[in-house]
Amino acid sequence: MSAAEGPLVVGVDSSTQSTKALVVDAATGRVVASGQAPHTVSSGAGRESDPRQWWDALCEALRQCGDAAHEAAAVSVGGQQHGLVALDDRGEPVRPALLWNDVRSAPQARRLTGELGGAKVWAERTGSVPAASFTVTKWAWLAEHEPEAVRATKAVRLPHDYLTERLTGQGTTDRGDVSGTGWWASGTESYDEEVLAHVGLDPALLPRVVRPGEVAGTVHSHDLPFSKGTLVAPGTGDNAAAALGLGLRPGVPVMSLGTSGTVYAVSRHRPADPSGTVAGFADARGDWLPLACTLNCTLAVDRVATLLGLDREAVDPGTAVTLLPYLDGERTPNLPNASGLLHGLRHDTTAGQLLQAAYDGAVHSLLGALDLVLDQDADPSAPLLLIGGGARGTAWQETVRRLSGRPVQVPEAKELVALGAAAQAAGLLTGEDAAAVARRWDTASGPVLDAVERDEETLARIAGVLSDAAPLLERPTDTH
């Protein structure tokens, strides 16, 4: 390892399927070591993971980083949002964590929305309308279906909270991640006692909300290769961490192509969308992160490619077929019971056209929410920043360009969630704003693909099929 110009920091990305760790030079942003280890997600009706796998994966990822991790002066964890981690009085999981893409709580989401004043009241109160992904609905589902697990629960955490607590021994969260629970009031930036009382959750079971720039604690675990006294930053949810990793300024649009797809932008205005399309998240600094999320993105399109026996890039143009790839239900549009739908199949339809239709269906969902995400801070001339696992795929890039009609920029920096966490850790050491750290690292630089004419015909066709098929898509399907 060549000599670093500044202190070393560790940024962690604990995502749905794996945990990654980067050791980064705080002065330059150079990644000096990295590691990654997988964890498993259940299949079937639910999406669950054992939180202890996340910790084991973090330990392994750090072990792969070698001596560089031991030299780090600070660490921060970015993690998948919304997951419900229920712990007993020894800090052990009482059951596997319910993940963001577990949609079994859709009935509870509808019920909670109605019971506490309707969508507009929820949006004004918490910034968001409850959806099946939100933690409050998962707690309501657990109380209804597994009351013995609720009785055994002595602490409730989000995925990044769980890992941070294993590092420090203290229960903490941050405003970015807690804003996705449904039990945090965005107007007062505090836990909403009425919501908590309504779902029977004692606020004493929840972690302390650490402010941006505050130290969450120091590493106390002996399982990890950190020096004694290594600082631990608040951490945050994965989307807020990626926003930090890009050094986002207000109004710059982002589309993230991962297992889930998201569109978001930093805003100085507290969002409150009563339609429920836009989640009014806080960011990890002091601003806001209005965001829309789809459940089906790269994983769903890759599944279609596998079913067709094609490489993911083997698309054919000129399709008149529509494929809505809602393989896990869908959040945007809000169709938690939906399954995939194919319309317009002809004798001359090729497998490559079917695959292109899957890309079109996935991107259509994201672009439908983009105008709602952007507000008066938006820069209409700014390229759409394309990030996530799919961002470097030619088929994804060309589909986004064709359906958005905007220039597209693909940052060269990889692992933006872990880089954002690293920037947060670096900010503890330097006193800088974490986004300013990332801008100093020049993480958002990358090639810009010029705008092309927007494909209005395809957008209109998909919208028409979606509208006509709504009753079918809303019908529950047997998942067994």
Side-chain angles (χ1 to χ4, degrees), residues 323-357:
L323 202 166
L324 304 179
Y326 302 161
L327 308 189
D328 281 321
E330 191 44 82
R331 172 170 161 180
T332 305
N334 186 24
L335 295 165
N337 295 317
S339 55
L341 185 144
L342 175 64
H343 179 267
L345 191 64
R346 299 287 188 181
H347 277 291
D348 59 353
T349 303
T350 68
Q353 289 174 333
L354 284 178
L355 181 56
Q356 180 61 66

Side-chain angles (χ1 to χ4, degrees), residues 130-150:
S133 56
F134 279 57
T135 326
V136 68
T137 72
K138 299 180 188 304
W139 179 260
W141 182 91
L142 196 65
E144 185 174 328
H145 291 272
E146 299 180 19
E148 69 287 351
V150 165

Side-chain angles (χ1 to χ4, degrees), residues 9 13 30 39 49 69 74 83 101 106 189 213 221 234 256 273 293 315 333 413 423 425 452 480:
V9 294
D13 173 10
R30 183 173 63 90
H39 25 82
S49 288
N101 54 349
E189 299 208 23
S221 173
S256 177
D273 175 19
C293 176
V315 296
V452 298
H480 301 287

Side-chain angles (χ1 to χ4, degrees), residues 212-369:
E214 184 183 345
V215 176
T218 57
V219 174
H220 85 130
S221 173
H222 300 296
D223 299 337
L224 298 175
F226 290 120
S227 302
K228 184 178 180 181
T230 300
L231 298 180
V232 181
T236 193
D238 50 5
N239 289 298
L244 287 183
L246 289 165
L248 274 192
R249 297 185 188 276
V252 177
V254 177
M255 180 181 289
S256 177
L257 304 172
T259 303
S260 65
T262 56
V263 286
Y264 57 84
V266 171
S267 174
R268 293 193 173 95
H269 312 282
R270 185 173 73 91
D273 175 19
S275 77
T277 300
V278 177
F281 296 148
D283 75 353
R285 298 168 58 255
D287 291 324
W288 301 92
L289 197 71
L291 176 148
C293 176
T294 64
L295 295 183
N296 300 278
C297 195
T298 59
L299 201 62
V301 172
D302 283 353
R303 180 58 183 152
V304 172
T306 299
L307 288 171
L308 296 170
L310 296 178
D311 180 89
R312 63 168 63 98
E313 295 289 342
V315 296
D316 288 336
T319 180
V321 69
T322 300
L323 202 166
L324 304 179
Y326 302 161
L327 308 189
D328 281 321
E330 191 44 82
R331 172 170 161 180
T332 305
N334 186 24
L335 295 165
N337 295 317
S339 55
L341 185 144
L342 175 64
H343 179 267
L345 191 64
R346 299 287 188 181
H347 277 291
D348 59 353
T349 303
T350 68
Q353 289 174 333
L354 284 178
L355 181 56
Q356 180 61 66
Y359 279 100
D360 289 351
V363 171
H364 175 271
S365 296
L366 288 166
L367 291 176

Side-chain angles (χ1 to χ4, degrees), residues 94-274:
V94 302
R95 68 175 318 285
L98 297 168
L99 303 187
W100 61 273
N101 54 349
D102 189 317
V103 297
R104 287 177 290 179
S105 60
Q108 287 73 25
R110 288 191 293 270
R111 191 184 74 227
L112 287 174
T113 302
E115 288 173 349
L116 284 178
K120 189 173 188 299
V121 170
W122 272 93
E124 287 294 335
R125 186 173 195 148
T126 68
S128 305
V129 180
S133 56
F134 279 57
T135 326
V136 68
T137 72
K138 299 180 188 304
W139 179 260
W141 182 91
L142 196 65
E144 185 174 328
H145 291 272
E146 299 180 19
E148 69 287 351
V150 165
R151 286 191 293 271
T153 298
K154 304 303 178 188
V156 172
R157 301 290 185 261
L158 295 166
H160 115 259
D161 305 344
Y162 172 78
L163 291 173
T164 300
E165 186 167 2
R166 295 276 313 248
L167 287 170
T168 66
Q170 302 175 52
T172 60
T173 190
D174 90 301
R175 70 190 295 270
D177 213 1
V178 76
S179 66
T181 59
W183 55 57
W184 185 79
S186 61
T188 59
E189 299 208 23
S190 60
Y191 288 122
D192 190 311
E193 293 186 5
E194 184 179 349
V195 170
L196 291 170
H198 189 78
V199 297
L201 179 54
D202 183 350
L205 273 57
L206 298 175
R208 179 175 70 89
V209 182
V210 178
R211 306 305 300 171
E214 184 183 345
V215 176
T218 57
V219 174
H220 85 130
S221 173
H222 300 296
D223 299 337
L224 298 175
F226 290 120
S227 302
K228 184 178 180 181
T230 300
L231 298 180
V232 181
T236 193
D238 50 5
N239 289 298
L244 287 183
L246 289 165
L248 274 192
R249 297 185 188 276
V252 177
V254 177
M255 180 181 289
S256 177
L257 304 172
T259 303
S260 65
T262 56
V263 286
Y264 57 84
V266 171
S267 174
R268 293 193 173 95
H269 312 282
R270 185 173 73 91
D273 175 19

